[in-house]
Structures are given as structure tokens and as C-alpha cells.
Amino acid sequence: MKASKVAQYGLITALALVLSYLESLLPPLGVPGVKLGLPNLAIVFALYRLNWKDACIISLMRVVLVTLLFGNGAALAYSVAGAALSLSLMGLLKRTGKFSSVGVSVAGGVAHNAGQILVAMALLETSRLAWYLPVLWISGTVAGVLIGVVSGVLVERVPDKK
Amino acid sequence: MEWLKTHRNDAILIAALMLLGGALAVFLYATRQDGGYVSVQMDGQTVMELPLSEDTQVLLGEDGHTNTLVIRNGTAQVVEADCPDQICVRQGAVQYEGESIVCLPHKLVVSVEGGQGSGIDANTG
Ligand SMILES: [Zn+2]
């Protein structure tokens, strides 16, 4: 791995961590551990600037680091499920070539939230959380649009050090 | 409008998702019903069923792992807890069938159910 790539990895992971921290300061969405998905900005950026595999590695690093730094073990299962579902869907949509970073990140945002809710339902052995799905569905869509637009701009503007 | 031309697929995807989310919200809202009782689950086991019609206060869990559940005026609310995130407290009061309060650190779910409840704590007077 080239030094410049290591630097990019570090920068994007740092961005993801800052966004995770910012997100932890926001009020909860009503379900414990379930978040809006701001760090997805860094992941979408990685997906477009680097590639799907690198985005997966950065996403995994973020999840592990956040758990170590902010120590919320309970949220780890949510994060992993949300990230995995989100990355799979984003990778697929990007491959079709029919969507821009906006569509890709919207799908990722909704998948991220749906994945978290599904794991929460399984962990807590209750189907009662379905009530929160529409809230997270819509917030995921809105956050996805914002993230898609911003990451699109970032990919264009941030110089690619090769 | 320029954006719509170059991002037609994105726009369709966003509109479809919003519609679906909105429809789900409207459906849940339109079909909501006042709950009859709350079911308290800890570690996936139902440990208690309390009618919403009776004001009461119960301390759930053991030392270092407690949530105080209050039932008042047909609503249920966790008013105090010693969990690190305090999310269960901030979730506020619930009263409609299908709503729930969750305390993940304590693996506690308080969910509102319809009807009168069955078996455990059935209020037969
Ligand atoms: Zn709690």
C-alpha cells in the first residue's frame, strides 16, 4: 500500500470518527443506539474516491474505533448490521451505473437504519419497534440526500493525491 | 429542474422511498389504538403486565440496573433509570398499541398492548 493511500485512509477514517462524535451529540431518534447515519458521508466519499473494498475496510475501522473510544458495546451489533446492509446496497447500486452519489447514499441511509432496527428487534426479541420504522425510513432518506450532495461536492473538490 | 434531468433515477428513488415511508407512517398513525396494558420484558422474558387504567409505579430490575416505570392517566413512562445512556427516560410517555420504551443497556422493553392482557397479572378483581 502506498503512503499516499495510507494517508487517505487515515483522513477518511478520521472524518468518519468526527461525524460519529457529532452525531452522538444530537438528540436520540427514539430508539436506543439507532442513529441518523452522518458517518455515512465518509463512507460514501470513500466509495467514490477509493473503491467498495476500501469503503468496507474504513467502515469496519470506524465501527471498531467508535466502540473502543466511546465504549458503547450495546450499539456495536446495530452499527455492524447497519453498516453491512448499507454497504452492500450502495455497492450494488453504484455498480448499476444508473444512480449518482445522491441515489446511492439515500439507499445506503435507509438500509443503514433498517438494518439497525432489524437487529434491535432480534436482540430485544420484540417486533414492537416497527413503530419506529417510518421515522427512521424518512430520516434516513433525508440524511441520505444531504450526504449524497455533500459527498458529491467533496469528491469533485478535494484534490486526489496520487 | 436541471438537476432532475441529470438525476432522474435518483429522484425516482427518493420519491419512491419518501412515499413508502410516508405511507407506512400514515398507516401506523391511522390504525393506532389506545393500549389496554403494558407488557414488561426483561431479557426477552415477559415479567409483568400492567393495566394502563390503573395509576401505579414500579421499580424494575436490581441494584445498578433499575428503571422506574410510572403509569399515569393511561400512559406509561420510565421516569428514572441508572443506565448510562438515559435514552429510555428521554423517550417519554407511550400510550398507543404497538408503542414501546426500550432500555438497551438493561435489555428492557416496555411495550403497549391492546386488549386486557392475559395470564400474568390479569386484572380480574
Ligand atoms: Zn435506559
Side-chain angles (χ1 to χ4, degrees), chain A residues 100-156:
Chain A
S100 76
S101 61
V102 177
V104 167
S105 117
V106 165
V110 171
H112 176 259
N113 288 346
Q116 293 186 92
I117 283 279
L118 292 177
V119 169
M121 282 180 173
L123 267 188
L124 297 160
E125 295 169 49
T126 174
S127 58
R128 297 299 168 195
L129 293 176
W131 190 257
Y132 297 110
L133 262 177
V135 180
L136 287 162
W137 192 281
I138 290 172
S139 67
T141 309
V142 174
V145 172
L146 290 174
I147 286 166
V149 170
V150 174
S151 59
V153 171
L154 280 181
V155 171
E156 246 172 54

Side-chain angles (χ1 to χ4, degrees), chain A residues 28 30 32-33 74 78 98-100 102-103 106 110 123-125 128-134 137-138 141-142 145, chain B residues 3 7 9-10 13-14 17-18 20-22 24-25 28 32 41 44 87 90-91 98-100 102 104 107 109 111 113:
Chain A
Y78 292 126
K98 289 195 160 69
F99 299 94
S100 76
V102 177
V106 165
V110 171
L123 267 188
L124 297 160
E125 295 169 49
R128 297 299 168 195
L129 293 176
W131 190 257
Y132 297 110
L133 262 177
W137 192 281
I138 290 172
T141 309
V142 174
V145 172
Chain B
W3 187 88
H7 293 75
N9 290 327
D10 295 325
L13 182 69
I14 293 164
L17 286 173
M18 288 299 244
L20 227 93
L24 193 59
L28 285 176
R32 69 182 181 163
Q41 286 165 276
I87 285 174
R90 278 188 273 162
Q91 273 176 285
E99 281 189 300
S100 58
V102 178
L104 194 67
K107 290 205 88 179
V109 181
S111 54
E113 313 281 343

Side-chain angles (χ1 to χ4, degrees), chain A residues 7-17 42-43 45-46 49-50 58:
Chain A
Q8 269 197 336
Y9 255 66
L11 269 175
I12 298 173
T13 308
L15 174 66
L17 284 178
I43 308 305
F45 180 73
R49 172 53 55 86
L50 304 166
I58 288 171

Side-chain angles (χ1 to χ4, degrees), chain A residues 4 9 13 20-21 27 30 39 41 52 70 73 81 109 116 134 148-149 151 161:
Chain A
S4 63
Y9 255 66
T13 308
S20 300
Y21 175 68
L41 174 56
W52 186 74
F70 310 125
Q116 293 186 92
V149 170
S151 59
K161 282 174 256 166

Side-chain angles (χ1 to χ4, degrees), chain B residues 67 83 85 88 103:
Chain B
N67 301 69
C83 58
D85 58 19
C88 51
C103 182

